[in-house]
Amino acid sequence: MNTIYSEFQEQFHVSSVRSFPEEWDKKTLLDAVGMKKDLIVAGPFGSNLKVSDYMDEGIPIIRLQNIDYGKFIDKEIKYISHEKARELAYHSFRAGDLVLAKLGDPIGKTCIVPDYFKDGIVVADVVRVRVADGLVDKKFIMYSLNSVATKNQLINGAIGSTRPRVNLDQIRDIQILVPPLNEQRKIAAILSSVDAAIEQTDAIIAQTERMKTGLMQELFAKKFDIAKLGDCSFKPEYGYTTSAIFQPVGPKFIRITDLKDDGVDWASVPHCTCDEYVLKKYLLKPGDIIFARIGATTGKNYLIKENINCIFASYLIRIRCKDMLLPDFLYQFLKTSAYWNQINANKSGRLKEGINIPLLNGILIPLPSIQEQKKISLILSSIDERLDGEKKYRERLKKLKLGLMQDLLNGRVRVKVDGNV
């Protein structure tokens, strides 16, 4: 991340300062965007706009699910009639307005309404912020509203713990630092360039995942022998029951909650204490595959690839392959719809929608020759490595953006502005 940060420092001529910039102002959001209350408006009360008013065409409405940090999510767009929109005209938005979530977790996330939405209505838990022309840079305001400083202000004033909420006056009173307009634009340009890099990386990841899905369907559609998983693996084992410890004492202790969609974050896996017999019996080795056996994550799995001093918890099942089945090949098959269809069919109504060892043993798997297994697993593993690299790069960019926001939006780091931003 330091290398990327240095590149941005050189590209945008960023230089550090120690003191708060004298030429910056501290303002409320309302003062910053134009000092008129009708520039910052919340959606109508629920009694004025109901779900029953929603339509499949007409005038668009913006809901909480359409707002992300700096990004408009144009999925599941709902509409209302022209008559209803005229009735709620005070709560309207137009292209280029900012929309902010005043309910939920995360609270305060903000984006700009895209140009293809010329106008519409915001719902009750969305706030529309309109920036007076030429007063401030709307992208700068968007990044300020998405900053950690703003989120902390909103959290401190919010009510409710499960779904925190703030009122319209609290939104209008958000405190932000406002540099001169040309510096705002330069800051927004820097942060926008990082966003563009993140979006490009997202597109590469999505394209690669689509390619892999198609390739998996092609590779596993060949006519192979079919076998039961239990015939190709040693006796599966349930994990060990004990309490997790969050100090580095004893071996790692991987639990069902540690299996994420993007793998396992080993740094966050807790530890446990156990004797030598338990450690020897439950120690995970390269080639082991662990399965979640209960709850919403039933069937989720992970292949152990390295020597890690770690044992597995009781809501996990461990599988070790016999010589006829390569762990890498099995792991790739476990990502297919053919596997998940069997899991979903077997878990229904059982063990609180879970699976057990007999059900796992009965999973049908393709069983080509070892040479064919190697070929398939190498092809798919190479794509996984590419995806992993892109995802790690995306995380570095996100950390870079967070660091830049913290430094640029509070004046700790200044940008040189030449008047031609």
Side-chain angles (χ1 to χ4, degrees), residues 350-367:
R350 300 174 184 268
L351 297 174
K352 297 180 181 179
E353 297 191 347
I355 57 172
N356 54 24
I357 286 178
L359 290 174
L360 197 57
N361 278 336
I363 294 291
L364 299 177
I365 62 171
L367 193 64

Side-chain angles (χ1 to χ4, degrees), residues 332-350:
Q332 293 297 340
F333 172 73
L334 298 176
K335 300 174 184 178
T336 67
S337 58
Y339 164 74
W340 282 104
N341 288 341
Q342 294 181 75
I343 289 294
N344 293 331
N346 280 325
K347 75 178 183 179
S348 181
R350 300 174 184 268

Side-chain angles (χ1 to χ4, degrees), residues 229 232-239 254 259 283-292 299-305 312 316-322 325-335 339 360 365:
L229 179 56
C232 306
S233 60
F234 297 102
K235 183 180 178 181
E237 295 178 286
Y238 295 116
I254 191 167
L259 302 188
L283 183 67
L284 292 172
K285 298 179 179 180
D288 288 352
I289 300 179
I290 48 178
F291 295 77
K300 189 171 286 189
N301 49 80
Y302 182 75
L303 171 64
I304 304 298
K305 297 181 180 180
F312 60 107
L316 296 170
I317 300 174
R318 175 174 62 189
I319 289 282
R320 282 180 175 165
C321 298
K322 294 180 180 177
L325 179 62
L326 295 178
D328 287 318
F329 173 80
L330 174 60
Y331 189 51
Q332 293 297 340
F333 172 73
L334 298 176
K335 300 174 184 178
Y339 164 74
L360 197 57
I365 62 171

Side-chain angles (χ1 to χ4, degrees), residues 45-108:
F45 292 112
S47 58
N48 295 325
L49 180 60
K50 303 175 183 177
V51 174
S52 58
D53 292 317
Y54 295 176
M55 304 170 63
D56 293 329
E57 58 182 18
I59 302 298
I61 60 174
I62 290 180
R63 300 178 292 164
L64 291 175
Q65 53 263 57
N66 300 128
I67 304 173
D68 199 359
Y69 287 110
K71 185 177 181 180
F72 186 82
I73 307 299
D74 117 359
K75 292 183 179 179
E76 301 179 7
I77 299 295
K78 297 295 182 182
Y79 302 84
I80 58 175
S81 68
H82 288 74
E83 293 77 16
K84 192 67 178 177
R86 283 194 292 270
E87 176 188 329
L88 301 174
Y90 180 75
H91 311 279
S92 64
F93 67 82
R94 65 190 182 205
D97 285 343
L98 287 84
V99 282
L100 175 150
K102 69 183 184 75
L103 168 70
D105 186 14
I107 193 171

Side-chain angles (χ1 to χ4, degrees), residues 20 170 375 420:
F20 181 80
Q170 289 171 294
K375 179 181 176 181
N420 295 311

Side-chain angles (χ1 to χ4, degrees), residues 211-275:
M211 180 185 71
K212 183 186 177 185
T213 298
L215 191 55
M216 289 173 70
Q217 292 174 346
E218 179 181 340
L219 292 173
F220 286 108
K222 297 179 181 180
K223 292 185 178 180
F224 298 129
D225 291 338
I226 302 298
K228 291 183 178 180
L229 179 56
D231 295 333
C232 306
S233 60
F234 297 102
K235 183 180 178 181
E237 295 178 286
Y238 295 116
Y240 182 59
T241 302
T242 190
S243 298
I245 300 173
F246 291 90
Q247 289 78 35
V249 178
K252 290 276 189 179
F253 184 56
I254 191 167
R255 307 153 300 166
I256 195 170
T257 53
D258 296 312
L259 302 188
K260 309 295 185 182
D261 290 337
D262 55 353
V264 173
D265 177 12
W266 287 105
S268 66
V269 175
H271 295 254
C272 71
T273 56
C274 63
D275 58 31

